[in-house]
Amino acid sequence: MSSYILKSELSVRMATAGAKPRSLAPARTSQQCSALSSRHALEMSLQASVSVPQQPTRVILPPIISASCRTADDVASDVQQQLQQHPQALVNGVEPDMYSALRKMALDDDMKVQYQARAKMLVVKPQEPSLPKRQRLPGTVFVVSAGPEDQVAADQVKVAAEHLGCYVIAKQQFSTRDVGRLMEQATGLQAADVVVVIAGVDSALPGVLSGLVDAPIIAVPTSSAYNNGLQGVSNLVAAVSSCAPGVSVVNIDGTVSAAVMCAKMLRVAAARVEKLQAAAATAAQQQALQGNGHSTGNGKFNNILPGFAPVQVQPAAI
C-alpha cells in the first residue's frame, strides 16, 4: 500500500512540474509492432498448414481363449463367438477331461477339432470355412529348447504363434553344456527374425544365444524342470539378470505372451515395409511424371526414369 502511495505522489509531482511520467516498460515503435504482427500471422499460418497425422487403425490379434477355471459350456460359447469373426479359434489350458466334455457336445459336428495333448491346446476350425484364411506374417520364428522337460512350453509357443499367423520352426537339444556345439547350432538361427528360448533346463541359454544371434531373443522361464527351484523363480531371476543385451523376458510359463510378442514384432515390421513400398512407388510415379532432369541435347530434358519396381512381399496363406 505504501509503495502505491509513493508512486502516485511521484506521478502527481512530475505532472505539476510539467514532466511526463515514465512507464516501467518502454513503448514499442511502429516497426516493432509491425514485426510482431507479421510474426504472429506467420505462426498462425504455420499452425493452420501443419496437419495432425491420424492414428493408424489398430489391428487386433485373434484372441486366445483360456479354459482354466471354466466350464465346457463357457468355452464352447466363446469358441462359437470367435469363429464368427476369425477363421479359427485356439483354446489354451485344455485338460483331457475338458477335451472329452467338448467332444461330447455338438462342438465338432460341423467343425474340425485338433487337440495338442502335450501343449494342452485345442484348435477349432469349421469344416466349411466362410471366412478367408488368415494371411501368414512375413518372417520366421525359431523356438529353441534344451531338454525334454522344455517341450511342453516349446509346443505351446509354437501352436500359439502359428495361430497368430507366424511361421515357426522348432529346434531342440540346445544347451550351454557344450559351447562349441552350441556355436555350430547357432549358425542355423541366423535366418530367424525372432528367437524364443525356453529357459527351463538351461536358464543361461537365452543370454548365450543373444551373443551369437542378431535376432531379438525372448526368454520364457518355466516352472517344470528337474533342476528347477522355487517354482520357476530361479529361472526367471537368471534370465532377467543376464548381462547380454537384447533379451526380453516374459513371466514364468508365459508361453502365450511370448507368442503374442512374436506376432506383434513381425506385424509391425511388415506394416513398416508396406508403408515404405507405398512411399517408394508414389515417389517413383511422381519422378516419372516430372522427369529426372537429364539432358538429352538440343536444350531438352528426358522424362524417363530408370526401370525399377518396388519389391512386393506377398504373404502366404496358412
Side-chain angles (χ1 to χ4, degrees), residues 168-243:
V168 185
I169 298 177
K171 296 286 186 178
Q172 304 176 5
Q173 302 300 325
F174 277 69
S175 177
T176 58
R177 185 181 306 170
D178 190 352
V179 180
R181 183 171 179 268
L182 181 62
M183 294 179 64
E184 295 178 357
Q185 293 175 329
T187 57
L189 302 179
Q190 298 300 330
D193 296 284
V194 185
V195 179
V196 180
V197 183
I198 308 301
V201 176
D202 195 345
S203 57
L205 187 59
V208 176
L209 285 180
S210 177
L212 302 175
V213 182
D214 295 333
I217 303 293
I218 302 176
V220 183
T222 62
S223 59
S224 58
Y226 67 92
N227 59 348
N228 191 17
L230 303 177
Q231 297 181 352
V233 177
S234 59
N235 291 334
L236 176 63
V237 173
V240 170
S241 59
S242 174
C243 64

Side-chain angles (χ1 to χ4, degrees), residues 4-209:
Y4 178 77
I5 294 174
L6 290 176
K7 291 181 180 179
S8 300
E9 292 179 356
L10 180 61
S11 62
V12 170
R13 291 179 182 180
M14 293 179 66
T16 304
K20 295 182 179 180
R22 294 186 301 174
S23 60
L24 297 178
R28 293 191 179 94
T29 62
S30 59
Q31 295 179 355
Q32 292 177 346
C33 292
S34 61
L36 288 175
S37 61
S38 61
R39 180 181 177 183
H40 179 69
L42 179 60
E43 290 178 354
M44 295 297 293
S45 63
L46 288 176
Q47 291 179 2
S49 62
V50 175
S51 60
V52 179
Q54 298 181 356
Q55 294 293 334
T57 304
R58 181 184 177 188
V59 180
I60 301 178
L61 294 173
I64 298 177
I65 303 171
S66 177
S68 60
C69 302
R70 304 184 65 186
T71 62
D73 295 335
D74 296 338
V75 174
S77 177
D78 291 347
V79 169
Q80 295 288 349
Q81 293 179 2
Q82 185 171 346
L83 290 177
Q84 295 177 1
Q85 301 177 357
H86 301 280
Q88 67 179 22
L90 178 64
V91 187
N92 183 30
V94 179
E95 299 292 339
D97 54 350
M98 172 69 72
Y99 173 63
S100 301
L102 291 174
R103 285 191 63 89
K104 291 179 180 179
M105 300 173 61
L107 184 62
D108 57 344
D109 290 344
D110 55 348
M111 298 180 186
K112 183 179 179 181
V113 180
Q114 298 177 355
Y115 180 58
Q116 306 291 337
R118 186 164 58 181
K120 296 181 180 180
M121 288 184 170
L122 185 67
V123 180
V124 182
K125 301 178 182 179
Q127 295 287 353
E128 297 180 358
S130 58
L131 297 176
K133 293 183 178 181
R134 185 180 301 112
Q135 298 296 324
R136 176 172 293 170
L137 297 173
T140 306
V141 177
F142 277 74
V143 181
V144 177
S145 58
E149 294 82 2
D150 298 338
Q151 293 307 307
V152 175
D155 291 346
Q156 291 176 356
V157 175
K158 186 176 185 297
V159 174
E162 289 178 346
H163 169 70
L164 299 175
C166 302
Y167 178 69
V168 185
I169 298 177
K171 296 286 186 178
Q172 304 176 5
Q173 302 300 325
F174 277 69
S175 177
T176 58
R177 185 181 306 170
D178 190 352
V179 180
R181 183 171 179 268
L182 181 62
M183 294 179 64
E184 295 178 357
Q185 293 175 329
T187 57
L189 302 179
Q190 298 300 330
D193 296 284
V194 185
V195 179
V196 180
V197 183
I198 308 301
V201 176
D202 195 345
S203 57
L205 187 59
V208 176
L209 285 180

Side-chain angles (χ1 to χ4, degrees), residues 273-292:
V273 170
E274 291 179 359
K275 290 181 180 179
L276 291 176
Q277 291 177 352
T282 304
Q285 293 176 359
Q286 293 179 356
Q287 191 173 2
L289 295 176
Q290 297 176 1
N292 53 17

